[in-house]
Amino acid sequence: MPDDMDDALARSARMREKAGHTGFDAFYRETWDRTYRTLAVTIRDHDLAKEAVDEGMARAFANWRHLNANQNPSGWVYRVSFNWAVDQIRRRDREQKRFRAEASSFTWIPDTPRPDLTEGSTGCPSNSAPLSCCGSSTTGRKETSPRHWASPLEQ
């Protein structure tokens, strides 16, 4: 039985070597946490840092055969992760800017004036005090009904 297991392990090692993925597991275990902590401090967003390091590690796995020959694969993973995170931040900022631009195209339009609040009238019933029903009658301001947001199509 141990001979069969040794043969299976040897076959598995040969298959991994052919695929070019030898050593990636150890690299991942040694590098992930340090890369994550460094990136989280740099970009100040822990969730985005986790996603970025995962993306960097996935790209490292896909290119491991060529990356393994690189003198600094952990630096390569950090740089790929950092660039991916910066792209995500830029994309998020662009979407927020577009949203703000779309929101600013809406205009505040008052509804039609209320007929019970016309010039020269307080609009208060004769038996109520002016301050109790509609505010100060000394301001002379014309009251309107509630306002709403209107899209450019409504204008």
Side-chain angles (χ1 to χ4, degrees), residues 124-153:
C124 299
S126 59
N127 61 352
S128 71
L131 293 177
S132 65
C133 73
C134 63
S136 173
S137 63
T138 60
T139 61
R141 286 184 292 170
K142 191 174 181 180
E143 297 283 332
T144 59
S145 61
R147 297 178 176 154
H148 69 277
W149 287 99
S151 74
L153 300 176

PDB file of all heavy atoms in Angstrom, residues 124-153:
ATOM      1  N   CYS A 124     -55.225  81.980   7.292  1.00  0.00           N
ATOM      2  CA  CYS A 124     -55.630  81.376   8.549  1.00  0.00           C
ATOM      3  C   CYS A 124     -57.141  81.511   8.704  1.00  0.00           C
ATOM      4  O   CYS A 124     -57.718  82.527   8.348  1.00  0.00           O
ATOM      5  CB  CYS A 124     -54.964  82.080   9.721  1.00  0.00           C
ATOM      6  SG  CYS A 124     -53.172  81.983   9.666  1.00  0.00           S
ATOM      7  N   PRO A 125     -57.767  80.495   9.238  1.00  0.00           N
ATOM      8  CA  PRO A 125     -59.179  80.649   9.559  1.00  0.00           C
ATOM      9  C   PRO A 125     -59.352  81.803  10.551  1.00  0.00           C
ATOM     10  O   PRO A 125     -58.450  82.109  11.334  1.00  0.00           O
ATOM     11  CB  PRO A 125     -59.567  79.318  10.187  1.00  0.00           C
ATOM     12  CG  PRO A 125     -58.491  78.365   9.800  1.00  0.00           C
ATOM     13  CD  PRO A 125     -57.274  79.167   9.541  1.00  0.00           C
ATOM     14  N   SER A 126     -60.487  82.463  10.528  1.00  0.00           N
ATOM     15  CA  SER A 126     -60.709  83.653  11.353  1.00  0.00           C
ATOM     16  C   SER A 126     -60.663  83.363  12.850  1.00  0.00           C
ATOM     17  O   SER A 126     -60.339  84.230  13.633  1.00  0.00           O
ATOM     18  CB  SER A 126     -62.045  84.298  11.005  1.00  0.00           C
ATOM     19  OG  SER A 126     -63.086  83.373  11.224  1.00  0.00           O
ATOM     20  N   ASN A 127     -60.938  82.128  13.246  1.00  0.00           N
ATOM     21  CA  ASN A 127     -60.969  81.839  14.670  1.00  0.00           C
ATOM     22  C   ASN A 127     -59.648  81.262  15.198  1.00  0.00           C
ATOM     23  O   ASN A 127     -59.573  80.867  16.331  1.00  0.00           O
ATOM     24  CB  ASN A 127     -62.138  80.902  14.997  1.00  0.00           C
ATOM     25  CG  ASN A 127     -62.009  79.574  14.281  1.00  0.00           C
ATOM     26  OD1 ASN A 127     -61.132  79.406  13.429  1.00  0.00           O
ATOM     27  ND2 ASN A 127     -62.884  78.657  14.609  1.00  0.00           N
ATOM     28  N   SER A 128     -58.585  81.188  14.372  1.00  0.00           N
ATOM     29  CA  SER A 128     -57.315  80.642  14.865  1.00  0.00           C
ATOM     30  C   SER A 128     -56.256  81.734  14.874  1.00  0.00           C
ATOM     31  O   SER A 128     -56.312  82.687  14.116  1.00  0.00           O
ATOM     32  CB  SER A 128     -56.847  79.482  13.995  1.00  0.00           C
ATOM     33  OG  SER A 128     -56.427  79.955  12.742  1.00  0.00           O
ATOM     34  N   ALA A 129     -55.285  81.545  15.725  1.00  0.00           N
ATOM     35  CA  ALA A 129     -54.182  82.496  15.792  1.00  0.00           C
ATOM     36  C   ALA A 129     -53.273  82.279  14.582  1.00  0.00           C
ATOM     37  O   ALA A 129     -53.063  81.148  14.161  1.00  0.00           O
ATOM     38  CB  ALA A 129     -53.408  82.279  17.082  1.00  0.00           C
ATOM     39  N   PRO A 130     -52.718  83.337  13.999  1.00  0.00           N
ATOM     40  CA  PRO A 130     -51.894  83.199  12.805  1.00  0.00           C
ATOM     41  C   PRO A 130     -50.690  82.279  12.991  1.00  0.00           C
ATOM     42  O   PRO A 130     -50.326  81.543  12.088  1.00  0.00           O
ATOM     43  CB  PRO A 130     -51.436  84.629  12.511  1.00  0.00           C
ATOM     44  CG  PRO A 130     -52.427  85.499  13.171  1.00  0.00           C
ATOM     45  CD  PRO A 130     -52.933  84.734  14.353  1.00  0.00           C
ATOM     46  N   LEU A 131     -50.052  82.277  14.140  1.00  0.00           N
ATOM     47  CA  LEU A 131     -48.874  81.444  14.336  1.00  0.00           C
ATOM     48  C   LEU A 131     -49.219  79.972  14.507  1.00  0.00           C
ATOM     49  O   LEU A 131     -48.375  79.115  14.330  1.00  0.00           O
ATOM     50  CB  LEU A 131     -48.088  81.935  15.557  1.00  0.00           C
ATOM     51  CG  LEU A 131     -47.443  83.311  15.407  1.00  0.00           C
ATOM     52  CD1 LEU A 131     -46.764  83.712  16.707  1.00  0.00           C
ATOM     53  CD2 LEU A 131     -46.439  83.290  14.280  1.00  0.00           C
ATOM     54  N   SER A 132     -50.458  79.663  14.860  1.00  0.00           N
ATOM     55  CA  SER A 132     -50.796  78.270  15.110  1.00  0.00           C
ATOM     56  C   SER A 132     -51.131  77.497  13.842  1.00  0.00           C
ATOM     57  O   SER A 132     -51.042  76.290  13.819  1.00  0.00           O
ATOM     58  CB  SER A 132     -51.973  78.181  16.084  1.00  0.00           C
ATOM     59  OG  SER A 132     -53.121  78.736  15.475  1.00  0.00           O
ATOM     60  N   CYS A 133     -51.496  78.184  12.771  1.00  0.00           N
ATOM     61  CA  CYS A 133     -51.906  77.421  11.599  1.00  0.00           C
ATOM     62  C   CYS A 133     -50.891  77.475  10.466  1.00  0.00           C
ATOM     63  O   CYS A 133     -50.714  76.503   9.765  1.00  0.00           O
ATOM     64  CB  CYS A 133     -53.275  77.860  11.102  1.00  0.00           C
ATOM     65  SG  CYS A 133     -53.238  79.457  10.284  1.00  0.00           S
ATOM     66  N   CYS A 134     -50.239  78.597  10.223  1.00  0.00           N
ATOM     67  CA  CYS A 134     -49.366  78.669   9.055  1.00  0.00           C
ATOM     68  C   CYS A 134     -48.087  79.431   9.313  1.00  0.00           C
ATOM     69  O   CYS A 134     -47.413  79.833   8.384  1.00  0.00           O
ATOM     70  CB  CYS A 134     -50.099  79.274   7.869  1.00  0.00           C
ATOM     71  SG  CYS A 134     -50.611  80.976   8.168  1.00  0.00           S
ATOM     72  N   GLY A 135     -47.734  79.695  10.536  1.00  0.00           N
ATOM     73  CA  GLY A 135     -46.513  80.425  10.823  1.00  0.00           C
ATOM     74  C   GLY A 135     -46.769  81.906  10.937  1.00  0.00           C
ATOM     75  O   GLY A 135     -47.889  82.359  11.028  1.00  0.00           O
ATOM     76  N   SER A 136     -45.704  82.661  10.908  1.00  0.00           N
ATOM     77  CA  SER A 136     -45.799  84.093  11.111  1.00  0.00           C
ATOM     78  C   SER A 136     -46.489  84.767   9.931  1.00  0.00           C
ATOM     79  O   SER A 136     -46.122  84.563   8.792  1.00  0.00           O
ATOM     80  CB  SER A 136     -44.398  84.670  11.284  1.00  0.00           C
ATOM     81  OG  SER A 136     -44.465  86.060  11.317  1.00  0.00           O
ATOM     82  N   SER A 137     -47.474  85.578  10.236  1.00  0.00           N
ATOM     83  CA  SER A 137     -48.171  86.304   9.171  1.00  0.00           C
ATOM     84  C   SER A 137     -47.474  87.619   8.881  1.00  0.00           C
ATOM     85  O   SER A 137     -47.853  88.329   7.971  1.00  0.00           O
ATOM     86  CB  SER A 137     -49.622  86.558   9.567  1.00  0.00           C
ATOM     87  OG  SER A 137     -49.647  87.386  10.709  1.00  0.00           O
ATOM     88  N   THR A 138     -46.450  87.955   9.649  1.00  0.00           N
ATOM     89  CA  THR A 138     -45.768  89.227   9.459  1.00  0.00           C
ATOM     90  C   THR A 138     -44.703  89.148   8.372  1.00  0.00           C
ATOM     91  O   THR A 138     -44.175  90.165   7.956  1.00  0.00           O
ATOM     92  CB  THR A 138     -45.102  89.684  10.769  1.00  0.00           C
ATOM     93  OG1 THR A 138     -44.151  88.705  11.164  1.00  0.00           O
ATOM     94  CG2 THR A 138     -46.128  89.897  11.852  1.00  0.00           C
ATOM     95  N   THR A 139     -44.368  87.946   7.895  1.00  0.00           N
ATOM     96  CA  THR A 139     -43.306  87.823   6.898  1.00  0.00           C
ATOM     97  C   THR A 139     -43.771  88.278   5.527  1.00  0.00           C
ATOM     98  O   THR A 139     -42.966  88.713   4.720  1.00  0.00           O
ATOM     99  CB  THR A 139     -42.824  86.363   6.780  1.00  0.00           C
ATOM    100  OG1 THR A 139     -43.919  85.559   6.363  1.00  0.00           O
ATOM    101  CG2 THR A 139     -42.256  85.881   8.093  1.00  0.00           C
ATOM    102  N   GLY A 140     -45.050  88.149   5.251  1.00  0.00           N
ATOM    103  CA  GLY A 140     -45.571  88.553   3.958  1.00  0.00           C
ATOM    104  C   GLY A 140     -45.146  87.631   2.826  1.00  0.00           C
ATOM    105  O   GLY A 140     -45.254  87.976   1.666  1.00  0.00           O
ATOM    106  N   ARG A 141     -44.622  86.466   3.174  1.00  0.00           N
ATOM    107  CA  ARG A 141     -44.196  85.538   2.127  1.00  0.00           C
ATOM    108  C   ARG A 141     -45.386  84.785   1.574  1.00  0.00           C
ATOM    109  O   ARG A 141     -46.333  84.474   2.277  1.00  0.00           O
ATOM    110  CB  ARG A 141     -43.199  84.521   2.689  1.00  0.00           C
ATOM    111  CG  ARG A 141     -41.838  85.121   2.937  1.00  0.00           C
ATOM    112  CD  ARG A 141     -40.893  84.066   3.386  1.00  0.00           C
ATOM    113  NE  ARG A 141     -41.335  83.643   4.729  1.00  0.00           N
ATOM    114  CZ  ARG A 141     -40.847  82.593   5.370  1.00  0.00           C
ATOM    115  NH1 ARG A 141     -39.938  81.853   4.820  1.00  0.00           N
ATOM    116  NH2 ARG A 141     -41.275  82.277   6.562  1.00  0.00           N
ATOM    117  N   LYS A 142     -45.297  84.469   0.308  1.00  0.00           N
ATOM    118  CA  LYS A 142     -46.341  83.701  -0.346  1.00  0.00           C
ATOM    119  C   LYS A 142     -46.004  82.217  -0.179  1.00  0.00           C
ATOM    120  O   LYS A 142     -44.904  81.790  -0.510  1.00  0.00           O
ATOM    121  CB  LYS A 142     -46.376  84.077  -1.816  1.00  0.00           C
ATOM    122  CG  LYS A 142     -47.550  83.568  -2.556  1.00  0.00           C
ATOM    123  CD  LYS A 142     -47.523  84.151  -3.954  1.00  0.00           C
ATOM    124  CE  LYS A 142     -48.715  83.688  -4.728  1.00  0.00           C
ATOM    125  NZ  LYS A 142     -48.698  84.258  -6.077  1.00  0.00           N
ATOM    126  N   GLU A 143     -46.908  81.463   0.359  1.00  0.00           N
ATOM    127  CA  GLU A 143     -46.688  80.039   0.572  1.00  0.00           C
ATOM    128  C   GLU A 143     -47.034  79.261  -0.699  1.00  0.00           C
ATOM    129  O   GLU A 143     -47.935  79.629  -1.434  1.00  0.00           O
ATOM    130  CB  GLU A 143     -47.565  79.523   1.718  1.00  0.00           C
ATOM    131  CG  GLU A 143     -47.259  80.151   3.055  1.00  0.00           C
ATOM    132  CD  GLU A 143     -46.011  79.568   3.674  1.00  0.00           C
ATOM    133  OE1 GLU A 143     -45.699  78.398   3.390  1.00  0.00           O
ATOM    134  OE2 GLU A 143     -45.348  80.290   4.432  1.00  0.00           O
ATOM    135  N   THR A 144     -46.331  78.176  -0.935  1.00  0.00           N
ATOM    136  CA  THR A 144     -46.654  77.281  -2.053  1.00  0.00           C
ATOM    137  C   THR A 144     -46.786  75.879  -1.501  1.00  0.00           C
ATOM    138  O   THR A 144     -46.357  75.581  -0.400  1.00  0.00           O
ATOM    139  CB  THR A 144     -45.553  77.299  -3.137  1.00  0.00           C
ATOM    140  OG1 THR A 144     -44.336  76.894  -2.547  1.00  0.00           O
ATOM    141  CG2 THR A 144     -45.410  78.670  -3.769  1.00  0.00           C
ATOM    142  N   SER A 145     -47.343  75.039  -2.301  1.00  0.00           N
ATOM    143  CA  SER A 145     -47.490  73.645  -1.879  1.00  0.00           C
ATOM    144  C   SER A 145     -46.130  72.957  -1.944  1.00  0.00           C
ATOM    145  O   SER A 145     -45.171  73.513  -2.460  1.00  0.00           O
ATOM    146  CB  SER A 145     -48.511  72.955  -2.783  1.00  0.00           C
ATOM    147  OG  SER A 145     -48.055  72.973  -4.111  1.00  0.00           O
ATOM    148  N   PRO A 146     -46.032  71.744  -1.457  1.00  0.00           N
ATOM    149  CA  PRO A 146     -44.748  71.037  -1.433  1.00  0.00           C
ATOM    150  C   PRO A 146     -44.112  70.967  -2.817  1.00  0.00           C
ATOM    151  O   PRO A 146     -44.790  70.920  -3.828  1.00  0.00           O
ATOM    152  CB  PRO A 146     -45.110  69.642  -0.925  1.00  0.00           C
ATOM    153  CG  PRO A 146     -46.399  69.811  -0.225  1.00  0.00           C
ATOM    154  CD  PRO A 146     -47.101  70.947  -0.897  1.00  0.00           C
ATOM    155  N   ARG A 147     -42.783  70.926  -2.827  1.00  0.00           N
ATOM    156  CA  ARG A 147     -42.044  70.884  -4.087  1.00  0.00           C
ATOM    157  C   ARG A 147     -41.617  69.461  -4.384  1.00  0.00           C
ATOM    158  O   ARG A 147     -41.622  68.598  -3.531  1.00  0.00           O
ATOM    159  CB  ARG A 147     -40.841  71.798  -3.980  1.00  0.00           C
ATOM    160  CG  ARG A 147     -41.280  73.222  -3.774  1.00  0.00           C
ATOM    161  CD  ARG A 147     -40.107  74.124  -3.614  1.00  0.00           C
ATOM    162  NE  ARG A 147     -40.621  75.482  -3.515  1.00  0.00           N
ATOM    163  CZ  ARG A 147     -40.003  76.455  -2.916  1.00  0.00           C
ATOM    164  NH1 ARG A 147     -38.836  76.251  -2.377  1.00  0.00           N
ATOM    165  NH2 ARG A 147     -40.537  77.655  -2.859  1.00  0.00           N
ATOM    166  N   HIS A 148     -41.208  69.245  -5.629  1.00  0.00           N
ATOM    167  CA  HIS A 148     -40.742  67.920  -6.014  1.00  0.00           C
ATOM    168  C   HIS A 148     -39.607  68.060  -7.008  1.00  0.00           C
ATOM    169  O   HIS A 148     -39.398  69.103  -7.596  1.00  0.00           O
ATOM    170  CB  HIS A 148     -41.883  67.095  -6.618  1.00  0.00           C
ATOM    171  CG  HIS A 148     -42.348  67.604  -7.959  1.00  0.00           C
ATOM    172  ND1 HIS A 148     -43.255  68.643  -8.050  1.00  0.00           N
ATOM    173  CD2 HIS A 148     -42.026  67.234  -9.202  1.00  0.00           C
ATOM    174  CE1 HIS A 148     -43.467  68.901  -9.328  1.00  0.00           C
ATOM    175  NE2 HIS A 148     -42.742  68.063 -10.060  1.00  0.00           N
ATOM    176  N   TRP A 149     -38.876  66.949  -7.174  1.00  0.00           N
ATOM    177  CA  TRP A 149     -37.798  66.923  -8.156  1.00  0.00           C
ATOM    178  C   TRP A 149     -38.388  66.593  -9.504  1.00  0.00           C
ATOM    179  O   TRP A 149     -39.201  65.706  -9.630  1.00  0.00           O
ATOM    180  CB  TRP A 149     -36.757  65.866  -7.791  1.00  0.00           C
ATOM    181  CG  TRP A 149     -35.913  66.239  -6.629  1.00  0.00           C
ATOM    182  CD1 TRP A 149     -36.065  65.834  -5.347  1.00  0.00           C
ATOM    183  CD2 TRP A 149     -34.803  67.122  -6.648  1.00  0.00           C
ATOM    184  NE1 TRP A 149     -35.129  66.402  -4.557  1.00  0.00           N
ATOM    185  CE2 TRP A 149     -34.328  67.200  -5.346  1.00  0.00           C
ATOM    186  CE3 TRP A 149     -34.164  67.863  -7.630  1.00  0.00           C
ATOM    187  CZ2 TRP A 149     -33.235  67.972  -4.981  1.00  0.00           C
ATOM    188  CZ3 TRP A 149     -33.077  68.626  -7.263  1.00  0.00           C
ATOM    189  CH2 TRP A 149     -32.630  68.679  -5.972  1.00  0.00           C
ATOM    190  N   ALA A 150     -37.953  67.292 -10.518  1.00  0.00           N
ATOM    191  CA  ALA A 150     -38.416  67.038 -11.872  1.00  0.00           C
ATOM    192  C   ALA A 150     -37.231  66.669 -12.747  1.00  0.00           C
ATOM    193  O   ALA A 150     -36.182  67.277 -12.674  1.00  0.00           O
ATOM    194  CB  ALA A 150     -39.106  68.278 -12.432  1.00  0.00           C
ATOM    195  N   SER A 151     -37.407  65.677 -13.539  1.00  0.00           N
ATOM    196  CA  SER A 151     -36.345  65.299 -14.456  1.00  0.00           C
ATOM    197  C   SER A 151     -36.348  66.269 -15.620  1.00  0.00           C
ATOM    198  O   SER A 151     -37.311  67.001 -15.844  1.00  0.00           O
ATOM    199  CB  SER A 151     -36.558  63.874 -14.953  1.00  0.00           C
ATOM    200  OG  SER A 151     -37.606  63.844 -15.878  1.00  0.00           O
ATOM    201  N   PRO A 152     -35.283  66.309 -16.405  1.00  0.00           N
ATOM    202  CA  PRO A 152     -35.244  67.205 -17.561  1.00  0.00           C
ATOM    203  C   PRO A 152     -36.375  66.933 -18.541  1.00  0.00           C
ATOM    204  O   PRO A 152     -36.771  67.809 -19.286  1.00  0.00           O
ATOM    205  CB  PRO A 152     -33.890  66.906 -18.197  1.00  0.00           C
ATOM    206  CG  PRO A 152     -33.061  66.339 -17.112  1.00  0.00           C
ATOM    207  CD  PRO A 152     -34.007  65.619 -16.206  1.00  0.00           C
ATOM    208  N   LEU A 153     -36.926  65.735 -18.540  1.00  0.00           N
ATOM    209  CA  LEU A 153     -38.015  65.396 -19.442  1.00  0.00           C
ATOM    210  C   LEU A 153     -39.315  66.078 -19.058  1.00  0.00           C
ATOM    211  O   LEU A 153     -40.175  66.335 -19.899  1.00  0.00           O
ATOM    212  CB  LEU A 153     -38.229  63.888 -19.485  1.00  0.00           C
ATOM    213  CG  LEU A 153     -37.021  63.069 -19.959  1.00  0.00           C
ATOM    214  CD1 LEU A 153     -37.324  61.587 -19.861  1.00  0.00           C
ATOM    215  CD2 LEU A 153     -36.655  63.448 -21.385  1.00  0.00           C
TER     216      LEU A 153
END
